[in-house]
Amino acid sequence: MELGLITYNVARDWDLPSILNNVRQAGWQGVELRTEHAHGVELSLGTDQRREVRRRFADSGVALWALGTTCEYQSPDAAAVGANVEQTKRWCQLAEDVGAFGVKVRPNGLPDDADLPRTLERIGHALRECGEAAEAHGVEIFVEVHGKTTQEPPNIRTILDHCRHPKVGACWNSNPTDLREGSVRESFGLLSPDIRSCHINDLWSAYPYRELFALLSEHRYDRCTLCEVATPLPADSALPFMHCYRKLWEELQRSA
């Protein structure tokens, strides 16, 4: 496993040079760039700007793991779903251009009075089209385990079963709804064949991270685990936190 940073929330106000400098100095390996943050890696970038982002990551030795979008597909309005699918396709193009491994998308709960089985099917079918775009651009789609009701692992399993595209997988999100009698083993087992990315947050919390890391190790997960803590930090004073976080992460990995 490798340790990475999500710019939401801790680095939301950092520019791209600050992100790369801190990640490199702290000994972390990857980054998920959340849209609408200060780094400015957005769909609006031109060809030369995309080439420059790709060069910066290559020169830094830091992996651009994912582009963290807010694309979602649960709306009963077919036009709204179609617009999000089309936007996802544009993110796949950007991911290819800047050298990202994947594009993070999400379900975001249920619309009012929604039919759950039909909504999960709708999301899965939309993701299949997104997966085709990802395959065409040589990237993957990471479906965040996210949103009220939709974040419940059995519902994510149903979404992925409706999708059934090899370039679409789950992004584990370390949610309280993962737990069954204090354990994540049952929920992890539902999604483990398709886990392609992993968000972690407060490693010192009551969430059973020791068990999660053991399960990731059992399943030979060799991708990024990405830090997503709630508190923004100034770029010029973040390194002590990042060094401490890495030490906790290393201890959990050793114990696994």
Side-chain angles (χ1 to χ4, degrees), residues 11 25 32 34 47 49 51 65 108-109 114 140 148 153 157 167 182 197 218 221 231 235 245 249 251 253:
Q25 287 197 55
E32 179 183 307
R34 172 64 150 73
T47 301
Q49 293 168 308
R51 188 177 296 118
W65 180 245
N108 197 26
E140 298 181 23
K148 185 178 179 180
R157 178 70 269 157
K167 291 298 183 180
S197 187
E218 280 179 28
Y221 181 83
T231 306
Y245 195 94
W249 181 86
E251 171 57 28
Q253 192 176 34

Side-chain angles (χ1 to χ4, degrees), residues 1-238:
M1 289 186 286
E2 295 185 333
L3 177 58
L5 175 70
I6 304 175
T7 58
Y8 182 85
N9 276 312
V10 62
R12 64 181 304 130
D13 299 320
W14 303 3
D15 60 17
L16 189 56
S18 297
I19 292 169
L20 294 174
N21 182 61
N22 282 341
V23 168
R24 185 176 61 249
Q25 287 197 55
W28 297 22
Q29 287 83 34
V31 175
E32 179 183 307
L33 294 176
R34 172 64 150 73
T35 185
E36 299 175 356
H37 285 183
H39 54 71
V41 180
E42 304 286 351
L43 295 175
S44 57
L45 292 184
T47 301
D48 289 345
Q49 293 168 308
R50 295 176 183 219
R51 188 177 296 118
E52 176 64 11
V53 171
R54 189 182 188 105
R55 183 195 65 77
R56 283 181 179 272
F57 272 93
D59 289 351
S60 72
V62 175
L64 178 45
W65 180 245
L67 301 179
T69 81
T70 55
C71 295
E72 54 193 51
Y73 320 98
Q74 68 276 347
S75 174
D77 181 349
V81 174
N84 274 269
V85 169
E86 291 305 311
Q87 187 176 77
T88 307
K89 293 177 182 179
R90 295 177 64 204
W91 281 105
C92 289
Q93 175 69 70
L94 178 61
E96 179 183 19
D97 292 344
V98 298
F101 285 91
V103 173
K104 192 274 296 178
V105 301
R106 66 188 189 188
N108 197 26
L110 297 179
D112 293 340
D113 302 319
D115 178 277
L116 178 60
R118 185 171 297 177
T119 303
L120 300 180
E121 182 179 15
R122 179 187 306 123
I123 296 169
H125 290 174
L127 284 167
R128 187 184 306 153
E129 188 173 351
C130 296
E132 291 169 359
E135 187 168 32
H137 291 291
V139 299
E140 298 181 23
I141 299 290
F142 305 141
V143 183
E144 187 175 16
V145 182
H146 184 273
K148 185 178 179 180
T149 304
T150 51
Q151 72 180 1
E152 295 173 15
N155 292 333
I156 294 292
R157 178 70 269 157
T158 300
I159 288 170
L160 293 173
D161 287 345
H162 282 302
C163 174
R164 293 194 179 279
H165 194 284
K167 291 298 183 180
V168 178
C171 176
W172 186 267
N173 201 40
S174 301
N175 300 315
T177 46
D178 303 332
L179 275 66
R180 300 290 183 271
E181 298 182 354
S183 169
V184 298
R185 181 172 290 275
E186 180 181 337
S187 295
F188 189 92
L190 283 174
L191 300 179
S192 58
D194 296 292
I195 294 175
R196 307 286 180 81
S197 187
C198 180
H199 292 173
I200 54 178
N201 42 55
D202 296 349
L203 297 180
W204 51 90
S205 72
Y207 189 89
Y209 279 110
R210 199 171 297 277
E211 181 186 43
L212 174 64
F213 275 52
L215 290 167
L216 289 167
S217 179
E218 280 179 28
H219 286 79
R220 302 183 183 276
Y221 181 83
D222 59 358
R223 295 177 163 218
C224 270
T225 53
L226 296 138
C227 169
E228 183 180 20
V229 298
T231 306
L233 293 173
D236 59 0
S237 60

